[in-house]
């Protein structure tokens, strides 16, 4: 199978941008990714995969990518008549866009494709709006099914589930999962707090992170309670942002300047799995996607130098370490406590700060993970640089079906420098 490469990667700063709409954020991301690829414009782009999930809040319910990129095509930054495919995979939208762009190139019909995710979650006139819009990532036709499932699971976990308009229901699902994991395996709140503090400390080194302050486990534990064992410092914030990647074929890469070729990052694998109403004792869908990615890449967990995982809450870092086979089931808390996921650990995780610190504008999240892995592999991460980083993995889940996500993408990226 021919290789596909990332030649450009970029993310805007993630924060609350009340004066920037989707078009401004998209423009910033596309300008940045073109510049990062060493190109003067994007006129060579043949296909674009555009992701956004909540644009209906602004009144734009369809042709979102076409509307957001129209001015860039009119100005000659992107080609006129360029096909734009609108992508939605909830929080996995950005990585789904990359997966589709890669597959497009693998067909041989395209040499240069753009993947971009843009999200506006903060509305200063209605700050809690996003919390309710996110519920659209859950089944709205059969709400009683998951309401009953969460109520029963929370009872087993030992606490009363009480949905609140002050938080997203997704945080409740993570709270229940964390409590069940604690009950079954002995995982502790202190271990979740260690994961959160570690990620916040990584985020303090990331100039594009929404939160750039250090935390101790004690501060994490004393923060405002959210759901189950989770505090606010263990949960991803509401914010805005965009991220993008330029992907190209091997034959196209050979035509580019040596300076571009030297910074190219190979996509060893992208793999996708779908969710279901699983029992708590079953592995999650990221185990399925991860195993697929290892098989496609012919790599093993031991080959991974660093990982960005979908820590919408810090419990997820513990759980995903298990699902991705970095440690045995039930040992994720011990794995984090050992220091393995720290910047100087055996396999650093969420060096960007993760979702809890870097931020989580949902459609942009997957491509921001790509940006961190690419930046690390290139050796351009500054104070948070992982030593000898060459192979990185990202795991990005989206939507909710019972006790897991509706879709998950795992990608493995590799440096090309000798």
């Amino acid at each position: 199978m021919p290789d596909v490469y990332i030649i450009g990667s970029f993310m805007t700063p993630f924060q609350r941008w009340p004066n920037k709409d989707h078009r401004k954020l998209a423009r910033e991301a596309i300008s940045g990714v073109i510049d990062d690829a060493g190109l003067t414009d994007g006129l060579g782009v043949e296909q674009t995969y555009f992701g956004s999930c909540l644009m209906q809040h602004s009144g734009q319910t369809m042709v979102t990518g076409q509307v957001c990129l129209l001015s860039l095509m009119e100005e000659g930054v992107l080609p006129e008549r360029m096909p734009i495919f609108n992508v939605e995979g909830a929080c996995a939208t950005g990585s789904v866009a990359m997966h589709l762009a890669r597959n497009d190139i693998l067909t041989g019909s395209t040499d240069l494709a753009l993947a971009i995710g843009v999200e506006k979650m903060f509305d200063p006139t209605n700050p809690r709006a996003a919390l309710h819009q996110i519920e659209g990532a859950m089944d709205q036709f059969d709400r009683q099914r998951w309401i009953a499932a969460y109520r029963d699971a929370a009872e087993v976990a030992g606490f009363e589930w009480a949905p609140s308009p002050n938080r997203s229901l997704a945080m409740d699902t993570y709270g229940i999962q964390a409590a069940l994991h604690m009950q079954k395996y002995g995982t502790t709140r202190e271990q979740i707090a260690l994961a959160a503090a570690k990620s916040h400390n990584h985020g303090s080194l990331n100039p594009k992170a929404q939160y750039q302050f250090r935390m101790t486990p004690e501060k994490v534990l004393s923060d405002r309670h959210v759901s189950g064992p989770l505090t606010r410092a263990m949960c991803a914030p509401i914010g805005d942002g965009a991220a993008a990647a330029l992907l190209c074929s091997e034959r196209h890469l050979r035509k580019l300047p040596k300076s571009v070729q030297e910074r190219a990052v190979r996509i060893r694998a992208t793999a996708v799995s779908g969710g279901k109403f699983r029992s708590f004792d079953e592995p999650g869908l990221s185990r399925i996607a991860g195993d697929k990615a290892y098989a496609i890449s012919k790599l093993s967990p031991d080959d991974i130098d660093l990982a960005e995982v979908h820590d919408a809450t810090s419990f997820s870092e513990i759980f995903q370490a298990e699902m991705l086979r970095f440690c045995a089931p039930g040992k994720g808390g011990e794995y984090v406590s050992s220091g393995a996921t720290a910047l100087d650990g055996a396999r650093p995780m969420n060096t960007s700060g993760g979702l809890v610190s870097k931020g989580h504008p949902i459609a942009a999240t997957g491509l921001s993970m790509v940006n961190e892995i690419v930046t690390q592999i290139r050796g351009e991460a500054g104070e948070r640089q992982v030593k000898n980083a060459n192979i990185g993995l990202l795991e990005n889940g989206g939507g909710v079906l019972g006790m897991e996500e509706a879709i998950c993408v795992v990608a493995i990226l590799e440096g090309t420098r000798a």
Side-chain angles (χ1 to χ4, degrees), residues 154-165:
E155 185 177 347
V156 171
F159 70 92
E160 182 181 356
W161 176 53
S164 168

Side-chain angles (χ1 to χ4, degrees), residues 233-298:
M234 299 174 182
C235 302
I238 295 294
D240 310 327
L246 269 174
L247 282 62
C248 77
S249 64
E250 188 168 3
R251 66 187 176 190
H252 186 77
L253 182 66
R254 293 196 199 103
K255 301 174 185 178
L256 297 174
K258 186 175 176 61
S259 58
V260 177
Q261 295 183 35
E262 289 175 344
R263 295 178 75 242
V265 171
R266 180 185 294 112
I267 302 177
R268 284 291 296 262
T270 62
V272 183
S273 62
K276 69 172 188 176
F277 264 77
R278 69 174 176 92
S279 70
F280 179 70
D281 292 329
E282 288 182 88
L285 77 169
S286 54
R287 167 65 60 81
I288 310 304
D291 284 353
K292 285 183 181 180
Y294 293 136
I296 293 168
S297 65
K298 296 182 172 58

Side-chain angles (χ1 to χ4, degrees), residues 8 17 21 31 63 79 89 125 147 179 192 195 203 215 269 274 289 332 378 388 395:
W17 292 109
D21 63 15
S31 176
V63 293
T125 66
I147 288 173
I192 301 173
M215 292 199 79
R378 288 171 170 174
N388 300 321
E395 176 273 327

